Amino acid sequence: MFKSFLVQRIANFVKNKTELSDNDVKIITNIFKVFPVPFTIRKGKNEKENKKIQINSIRKSFLRKKGWIYGVSQRILKEWHPNCKEKFIKNFVFGGWQRKNKLRERTEKEGSFTPATVLISPLMRCNYHCVGCYAQNYTKADDMPEELFERIVKEGEEMGVQFYTLLGGEPLLVFDRIYRIFKKYNDTAWAQLFTNASLLTEDVAKKLQELGNIFIQFSVEGFEKETDERRGKGAFKTTMKAMEICQKYGIPHGFSVTYTSKNADVVTSDEFIDLMIKKGCVWGWYFLYMPVFGEKEDISLMPSPEQRYNLWKRHQEIRNEKPIITIDFWGDAPLVGGCIAGKHYIHINNKGEVEPCIFTHFAADNIKEKSLKEIMASPLFKKYREIEPYDKNLLLPCPLIDHPRIIRELVKKFNLHPTHPQAENFIHQLAPKIDQYSKRVHPLMDKTWKENYDSSYQIGSCPWCYKNQQL
């Protein structure tokens, strides 16, 4: 009862506040003392000491009123609609990370495991025809039935899933379904939705404002040249207009970039980040280009080891200096203990096939035939959780491109079937090139880990790449 009262008080504070005062800053920095934080600064003798060091770092950053911690807090208060702020606090911060703890504990006692997020692709079709994309091969007949979509969310809420990630194809093509489901679970569920922006109209924004529990992530490739080159003429201006609509209605939003060898410098530049901030983005995702969609994949688009290092370095500089949260999906693996596939997240495609990762187009089970709880307790996902992290160097978290022998052995051991046409090419035809990439990236990331995280780490000690470890 007291917790509910406290959460409502905090939600009301955030909902009605438009700016943090100096006194608010002092109170919040004291609250940080009891907040769980990732142990990314590994300078202490143990985890307790690491936590203390990390909390002090957060407090200092907040007090200097610079960087993402202070800057994003101020921007949320000023820029988001009151209903969106309230749902963020009640559904995501306290609901997802505290209230649902008992549900997650119960799920583990029953022999299963609750992912932090469930990625759902309710459809694979799209109104764009981007270069090299798979979505143009799908039709409306391939869409996930609404009943199945809702059942996944229902079971996720019963297990304590923190939030959902809605993908496609273009998910706004079925926004009516998304609206109905997240209206039904409006008091508990929270989601992020990745979109190409073309269907985000003022009417959609009004409904998002009404819901308050959906965060929009806009896919961009850089500036107009880079975005239009891949997504079609006018795509960049469409995205900027959609961001402005979100700003008008106070809809939480961010950007998502596929980081390639071609756009690496552009998407990490001050000019690009400043534009995203100007357009209201408080969050930025960086995903490495992954050649996982079949025969047309271009290995040359994979960022070089040096570009991958630069992203790791640069996104932290941005995060420390600017009022935006930037996340390098590979370089921030130390925040979550390495690879999270089959553990903290899974992907359910339009056919109901449950993949361990959005980039891993292989599956053993289908949600049409089993419950979410049963699938999370499957031998495949138990094996993922057993062998994660794959190496002490958490900057090399991926079983696809950093330790590619792992995905090949998993496919063979569990007789996994491909979930996308030509997906098997990744573990067969492309295997020699992926192995070469892995060998090139290891020395640089090993050096980075040793110099910045763990000075006792032995370079070249990965058990999967140097010691022939078996599943």
Side-chain angles (χ1 to χ4, degrees), residues 13-14 17 19-33 35 54-77 319-321 323 325:
F13 170 83
V14 172
K17 198 85 173 174
E19 186 178 13
L20 290 174
S21 67
D22 288 343
N23 190 52
D24 293 332
V25 171
K26 290 179 182 178
I27 292 172
I28 291 172
T29 52
N30 285 324
I31 291 176
F32 282 143
K33 291 179 180 178
F35 271 18
Q54 182 69 21
I55 290 172
N56 285 335
S57 174
I58 291 173
R59 291 180 68 193
K60 287 178 181 178
S61 177
F62 204 85
L63 285 170
R64 72 187 179 103
K65 298 182 181 181
K66 197 173 184 180
W68 76 268
I69 299 172
Y70 176 81
V72 169
S73 299
Q74 288 283 37
R75 291 185 59 206
I76 286 174
L77 294 177
R319 201 160 59 194
N320 290 334
E321 297 298 324
I325 303 170

Side-chain angles (χ1 to χ4, degrees), residues 120-123 144-155 164-167 171 174-175 177-179 181-182 185 367:
I120 308 171
S121 291
L123 78 171
M144 176 186 288
E146 184 172 348
E147 297 77 18
L148 179 59
F149 187 178
E150 183 182 336
R151 198 197 97 200
I152 294 168
V153 175
K154 178 179 180 291
E155 292 183 5
Y164 304 86
T165 299
L166 309 179
L167 306 156
V174 292
F175 181 67
R177 299 181 185 183
I178 292 169
Y179 173 82
I181 292 170
F182 284 88
Y185 295 94
I367 197 71

Side-chain angles (χ1 to χ4, degrees), residues 275-327:
L275 176 62
M276 294 298 100
I277 294 171
K278 181 181 177 182
K279 296 297 180 181
C281 296
V282 297
W283 190 283
W285 282 109
Y286 289 92
F287 298 97
L288 302 185
Y289 171 82
M290 295 285 281
V292 295
F293 291 116
E295 60 183 10
K296 295 182 180 179
E297 289 305 321
D298 185 356
I299 293 289
S300 70
L301 288 176
M302 292 182 72
S304 68
E306 292 74 24
Q307 288 173 321
R308 187 164 158 182
Y309 167 81
N310 289 338
L311 175 60
W312 168 82
K313 181 181 178 183
R314 178 68 182 132
H315 92 280
Q316 293 182 85
E317 293 172 349
I318 294 168
R319 201 160 59 194
N320 290 334
E321 297 298 324
K322 296 181 183 290
I324 188 169
I325 303 170
T326 47
I327 299 292

